[in-house]
Amino acid sequence: MTADPNAATQGYPAPLPAHRRPHPARYLVPALVAAAVAVGLGAYGRTHHPTGTAFNLAGFSSTSAVKSWLASTAFAFALVQLVSAFMVYGRLPGPSWAPALHRWSGRVAFLVAVPVAVHCLYALGFQTYEPRVLWHSLLGCFFFGAFSAKMLLLRSERLPGWLLPVAGGLVFVVLTVIWLTSALWFFRTFGVTT
């Protein structure tokens, strides 16, 4: 018995015809935007003279405490994003409103993370005086670049099914390390304080 080498393999989808394959620019543009955002934020943070403070909220003892609590809030909403993503992709059982939960928790996480980033860039700048701070600075810039790319990919059609979960997972992992190197470090060093 001979096998047809051109026959579709069971369990694998047939390749898309050339006219239906996504153009490479579909991936290149988000990657270039991500790089531009990350490098731009890093360049601004490195060249800007840090002011020491960008904002403070009544009831908090310091801007670092405000930043740590806002970062923790963003991280909590990112955890909701992770769980709701598993629901949306059918990996966990979930309610019919899981997609809305996923979208809104992401929006809230981003909106809460923006003042933290503004504080970091404007008040502290891009710092490298110890490994924890260097990683925090690098990953903070990378996070907003990766987030920008993920948002651009959301609007693209005919993406591979694995691309958005990988991009979302990368954004989540980077945010987790940012939180570990800032808010968690602050709470462990200075105590859980407001």
Side-chain angles (χ1 to χ4, degrees):
M1 178 167 118
T2 60
D4 180 7
N6 297 322
T9 306
Q10 184 178 6
Y12 292 97
L16 288 174
H19 70 281
R20 294 214 41 217
R21 288 187 195 134
H23 193 274
R26 200 171 283 229
Y27 309 113
L28 183 61
V29 169
L32 290 174
V33 168
V37 168
V39 170
L41 290 174
Y44 174 80
R46 193 72 178 146
T47 59
H48 170 71
H49 181 70
T51 62
T53 188
F55 62 83
N56 204 353
L57 293 176
F60 287 91
S61 59
S62 67
T63 55
S64 294
V66 174
K67 180 183 155 215
S68 297
W69 281 104
L70 286 175
S72 295
T73 302
F75 181 64
F77 277 100
L79 289 171
V80 173
Q81 273 265 288
L82 180 67
V83 172
S84 62
F86 280 112
M87 290 177 190
V88 168
Y89 280 94
R91 302 290 187 236
L92 286 175
S96 61
W97 44 268
L101 175 65
H102 184 73
R103 283 190 302 274
W104 281 100
S105 61
R107 290 171 180 155
V108 172
F110 180 76
L111 289 175
V112 172
V114 168
V116 175
V118 168
H119 175 76
C120 287
L121 285 170
Y122 186 76
L124 306 172
F126 188 99
Q127 297 184 10
T128 60
Y129 63 89
E130 70 177 42
R132 176 190 64 81
V133 174
L134 172 63
W135 279 109
H136 182 75
S137 295
L138 286 170
L139 291 175
C141 295
F142 181 81
F143 169 79
F144 281 96
F147 180 84
S148 300
K150 180 183 177 250
M151 292 299 105
L152 289 173
L153 288 171
L154 281 174
R155 300 296 174 209
S156 297
E157 296 176 4
R158 297 190 314 258
L159 292 175
W162 57 267
L163 188 55
L164 280 177
V166 167
L170 178 64
V171 168
F172 176 78
V173 167
V174 171
L175 183 62
T176 300
V177 176
I178 292 169
W179 180 78
L180 291 170
T181 59
S182 62
L184 183 62
W185 174 85
F186 176 83
F187 292 139
R188 292 182 70 192
T189 304
F190 299 101
V192 180
T193 181
T194 56

